[in-house]
Amino acid sequence: MARKLIVGNWKMNGSLAMNAELLEGIKAGLARVDCDLAICAPFPYLAQCQQALEGTGVALGAEDVSAHAVGAYTGQVSTRMLLDFDCKYVIVGHSERREYCNESDELVANKVQRALAGGLTPIVCVGESLKEKDAGQTEAVVSRQINTVLSVLEEREVCDIVVAYEPVWAIGTGKTPTPEMVKDVHALLRELMIRKNPDAAECVRILYGGSMKPSNAEEFLKMRDIDGGLIGGAALKASDFLKIAYLASR
Ligand code: PGA
């Protein structure tokens, strides 16, 4: 994949005023960006982001989506609602949702299916916890997570997802795996996808996420197997987010 993808995950941060400043800051620096850029924002701010990002080339995404199409699901948000705000992406199976909302591998797979059926590109998150890493289970965990998703997809649909490898112990902690460790996990993920669809060697972007910031982004982004980044904390500061996007543009 020649062109990298940098995605900001705002999580449960922001306000109308803070977002306006952040969006203006990002827009002011876009001329030098030569990678794909997206912002995944909290549901209440999708309208604000849609309006601010119109015509900029920066894609919009949500942080979650319902596994159901429509109906009596209080508090949930459907693919069709996200399309109303021109969302292109949706993060599915983020470790914070797996952990705090008890999302199972099966539910994550159902959400991926629903997102694809609704015309959205799911950014499927996988990654091991610290305990799992220390027990030498990284490969087993990410294989189980991605295989559950692949098991519900048609062969052609494999090319319609983005995968984000996010070691849980690296998220928001400032700790990062070495680029070599990430490269090995990305190679494994790609291999599992290729088994389902040989085109996955070329068509699927695998992002790294977990404490990526301007000071360490380059070492990750220069690796051939790392197709971009899913950025949390550093996406909340326009200059940091832009710096990462510039590093991905080389
Ligand atoms: P972080 O978050 O960059 O703050 O570690 C990444 C993520 O959770 O997507």
Side-chain angles (χ1 to χ4, degrees):
M1 268 276 166
R3 209 171 153 81
K4 304 227 188 245
L5 170 63
I6 299 295
V7 182
N9 173 13
W10 286 3
K11 308 193 179 187
M12 200 175 74
N13 293 293
S15 65
L16 283 175
M18 280 166 63
N19 304 343
E21 200 183 316
L22 178 55
L23 289 162
E24 278 318 304
I26 292 169
K27 285 192 327 189
L30 285 178
R32 277 172 55 203
V33 173
D34 190 17
C35 66
D36 290 336
L37 209 55
I39 288 171
C40 292
F43 295 133
Y45 300 128
L46 290 176
Q48 179 190 25
C49 291
Q50 177 194 27
Q51 207 180 12
L53 296 176
E54 201 189 342
T56 63
V58 180
L60 184 57
E63 299 175 15
D64 181 40
V65 69
S66 175
H68 303 284
V70 64
Y73 300 101
T74 302
Q76 298 196 33
V77 171
S78 70
T79 55
R80 206 174 295 171
M81 295 172 188
L82 298 183
L83 290 179
D84 270 344
F85 297 95
D86 293 332
C87 283
K88 176 177 163 66
Y89 296 102
V90 61
I91 298 172
V92 179
H94 191 281
S95 63
E96 285 149 15
R97 293 203 59 87
R98 290 182 191 259
E99 186 180 348
Y100 306 137
C101 306
N102 289 320
E103 293 200 0
S104 64
D105 293 337
E106 289 70 27
L107 178 63
V108 171
N110 290 341
K111 288 185 172 193
V112 170
Q113 253 182 327
R114 179 63 64 193
L116 288 170
L120 292 160
T121 299
I123 300 172
V124 184
C125 298
V126 299
E128 82 287 0
S129 66
L130 184 58
K131 210 166 135 217
E132 290 162 338
K133 173 176 100 76
D134 289 345
Q137 294 171 342
T138 299
E139 272 117 29
V141 170
V142 299
S143 300
R144 189 200 73 223
Q145 290 172 329
I146 198 70
N147 280 335
T148 310
V149 170
L150 291 173
S151 71
V152 301
L153 297 188
E154 303 285 338
E155 183 182 328
R156 63 177 164 75
E157 288 177 320
V158 176
C159 280
D160 298 332
I161 67 172
V162 171
V163 175
Y165 169 53
E166 299 202 305
V168 179
W169 51 273
I171 295 176
T173 59
K175 294 193 193 116
T176 50
T178 64
E180 280 70 29
M181 283 159 75
V182 176
K183 192 173 132 260
D184 288 347
V185 177
H186 281 213
L188 168 67
L189 289 166
R190 203 176 295 280
E191 179 55 37
L192 294 171
M193 286 185 275
I194 286 170
R195 277 188 212 163
K196 179 95 185 191
N197 181 340
D199 292 342
E202 288 302 321
C203 68
V204 178
R205 283 195 278 207
I206 307 180
L207 316 181
Y208 167 72
S211 297
M212 199 191 263
K213 48 185 185 261
S215 59
N216 65 17
E218 188 167 18
E219 52 177 343
F220 289 107
L221 294 170
K222 72 177 182 210
M223 315 267 329
R224 214 184 136 264
D225 276 316
I226 302 180
D227 303 309
L230 182 54
I231 322 294
L236 298 173
K237 203 172 150 199
S239 59
D240 283 356
F241 190 55
L242 285 167
K243 271 184 213 151
I244 296 172
Y246 299 151
L247 290 168
S249 301
R250 288 180 181 167

